[in-house]
Amino acid sequence: MFTGIVECIGSTPLPLSSTPTAIVKLTTPSTAISALDPSPETGTTLTISTPTFLLSDAHLGDSIAINGTCLTITAFTPSTFTVGVSPETLRRTNLGRLSASSPVNLERAVAASGMRMGGHFVQGHVDTVATIADVRDDGEARVIRLKPREKGVLRYVVEKG
């Protein structure tokens, strides 16, 4: 969960790389996108160089917003972090279209009682069951379509996020 208040603004110092397994890690002090890496083994990843305060309480699996897009930290150092980016995220956001000097907004998940709250609030009760109607690959991601037993619950389902 995020407040929408940007903590850091950076820029892309280099054009994004489309070379498999090539992640360029910058050591500049400013927040900056380093590279997109469409590696066949890991899928597309985005590595970002940032001031150390942004990662001072980071953990693997934490949520972080990049240009308003909630992504999951898959690796980090004191001054860089990496997130996975699915083909659907690249289609629905501007992350795949960033170029040199593009501004980048960064925001950590909201903290409550000293612990960051990544993800989404979930009620934790079951309203129906569903069967798997279709499974298809989408790059390194997998799209699973579900068919609920009671179709009326679909009015409560949010398409994204």
Side-chain angles (χ1 to χ4, degrees):
M1 173 168 275
F2 298 93
T3 64
I5 299 171
V6 174
E7 292 186 79
C8 295
I9 298 175
S11 64
T12 309
L14 300 171
L16 299 174
S17 171
S18 60
T19 306
T21 68
I23 296 178
V24 179
K25 291 187 177 175
L26 302 176
T27 56
T28 60
S30 66
T31 303
I33 292 181
S34 299
L36 276 176
D37 173 18
S39 167
E41 286 116 25
T42 62
T44 302
T45 61
L46 180 62
T47 298
I48 298 189
S49 177
T50 183
T52 56
F53 84 87
L54 194 77
L55 300 174
S56 62
D57 60 350
H59 298 90
L60 288 179
D62 279 358
S63 295
I64 193 159
I66 303 169
N67 282 356
T69 304
C70 177
L71 297 168
T72 302
I73 296 175
T74 58
F76 69 97
T77 69
S79 61
T80 65
F81 69 93
T82 301
V83 295
V85 185
S86 74
E88 180 74 355
T89 299
L90 292 172
R91 283 190 294 270
R92 289 195 176 241
T93 69
N94 72 341
L95 298 180
R97 295 183 302 276
L98 295 172
S99 60
S101 300
S102 293
V104 181
N105 297 325
L106 298 175
E107 178 191 356
R108 294 176 289 182
V110 172
S113 303
M115 184 174 195
R116 297 219 169 262
M117 298 186 313
H120 311 274
F121 284 118
V122 180
Q123 287 188 337
H125 65 271
V126 177
D127 291 311
T128 191
V129 294
T131 57
I132 297 173
D134 184 48
V135 178
R136 69 177 171 81
D137 290 333
D138 184 6
E140 72 279 356
R142 181 163 284 161
V143 176
I144 302 171
R145 296 186 67 77
L146 302 174
K147 181 178 178 182
R149 184 173 56 199
E150 290 86 22
K151 291 188 181 357
V153 300
L154 290 175
R155 66 179 171 218
Y156 303 112
V157 176
V158 178
E159 179 194 4
K160 297 288 175 195

